[in-house]
Amino acid sequence: MKYPVIFDQSGRQDKYYTITFPNFIGLVEKSDSIDGLNGCLKKAREALMNHLTDYAAQPDIPAPSDINEVIQANPHAIVTEVEIKLPSHLLHN
């Protein structure tokens, strides 16, 4: 499953990116730009997996947003996707 992730540095005076996920309001991380995009992606993937453990008791995990819509809504940010494999206990059939 691939979820869009937004790396935004606009309005910041430091060297960090704010990492947000449109499908998970309130999930916010930051990553040092020195880590590069690969470091930011790793941090984003870890944050998302940790966050999803909170969804174990929920009936539905949000479906990923359309990446093109997220890109259009965030023209000054880096938008990409984070691929994760959901643990079987989080899959609801």
Side-chain angles (χ1 to χ4, degrees), residues 74-92:
N74 298 277
H76 301 292
I78 298 170
V79 178
T80 189
E81 292 175 309
V82 172
E83 186 168 6
I84 58 164
K85 183 174 180 179
L86 293 175
S88 60
H89 70 279
L90 294 177
L91 297 173
H92 301 281

Side-chain angles (χ1 to χ4, degrees), residues 26-85:
L27 176 54
V28 179
E29 284 287 327
K30 72 176 186 174
S31 185
D32 193 321
S33 61
I34 293 173
D35 294 337
L37 189 55
N38 284 335
C40 290
L41 281 169
K42 180 180 178 187
K43 186 153 190 157
R45 186 175 294 108
E46 290 169 358
L48 183 55
M49 287 303 298
N50 288 336
H51 186 74
L52 286 175
T53 60
D54 294 341
Y55 276 83
Q58 301 295 321
D60 293 308
I61 294 175
S65 295
D66 180 275
I67 187 72
N68 292 316
E69 291 176 10
V70 177
I71 289 169
Q72 288 179 353
N74 298 277
H76 301 292
I78 298 170
V79 178
T80 189
E81 292 175 309
V82 172
E83 186 168 6
I84 58 164
K85 183 174 180 179

